[in-house]
Amino acid sequence: MPLVATGCVGPTGAVACETGQTVYDAGTPCTSPGVPAGCSATAGTHVPTVCDVGDGVCRTNASQQTAVDPSQVHLDPTKHYYISVLPGDAANPFESGNTIGGHGMAELQSSARQWRPQ
């Protein structure tokens, strides 16, 4: 089944949108603006990043994913869709109070339904 849309929901700074991640800029430091060629003004520091490109690739031109509201996605009313909503704080179990290490979803499996836009 093809993936129609993916994204995060939440305000600016939401954990679900990968806010707060950084990567180390190991580039060549600039001695003055643009010198040497290809230098990085942020070399030697941690810079904000978001890893939403795929296969573990991150980009540093944003500090979090763009929030996407489900109403922004165009869905074909003649097709059926399955929607999965996963907790954005699953990677931080102790900060969110989720100390049991996840959820088996057993009681929800029997109630899963197809959703068809009207």
Side-chain angles (χ1 to χ4, degrees):
M1 184 176 299
L3 181 65
V4 176
T6 184
C8 66
V9 184
T12 299
V15 173
C17 295
E18 295 192 15
T19 191
Q21 292 192 104
T22 61
V23 293
Y24 182 75
D25 182 352
T28 303
C30 297
T31 55
S32 61
V35 177
C39 68
S40 173
T42 58
T45 65
H46 284 84
V47 294
T49 188
V50 60
C51 302
D52 61 355
V53 178
D55 293 327
V57 177
C58 302
R59 58 188 174 96
T60 57
N61 63 349
S63 61
Q64 74 172 45
Q65 291 179 346
T66 302
V68 178
D69 188 277
S71 66
Q72 294 173 294
V73 179
H74 171 74
L75 300 175
D76 183 343
T78 65
K79 295 183 178 180
H80 293 263
Y81 297 88
Y82 290 94
I83 297 176
S84 296
V85 179
L86 305 173
D89 62 356
N92 303 315
F94 298 107
E95 291 176 23
S96 66
N98 181 13
T99 57
I100 61 170
H103 192 289
M105 304 296 279
E107 68 271 9
L108 298 177
Q109 290 176 353
S110 63
S111 64
R113 300 175 189 253
Q114 278 188 328
W115 179 74
R116 184 174 175 188
Q118 300 301 319

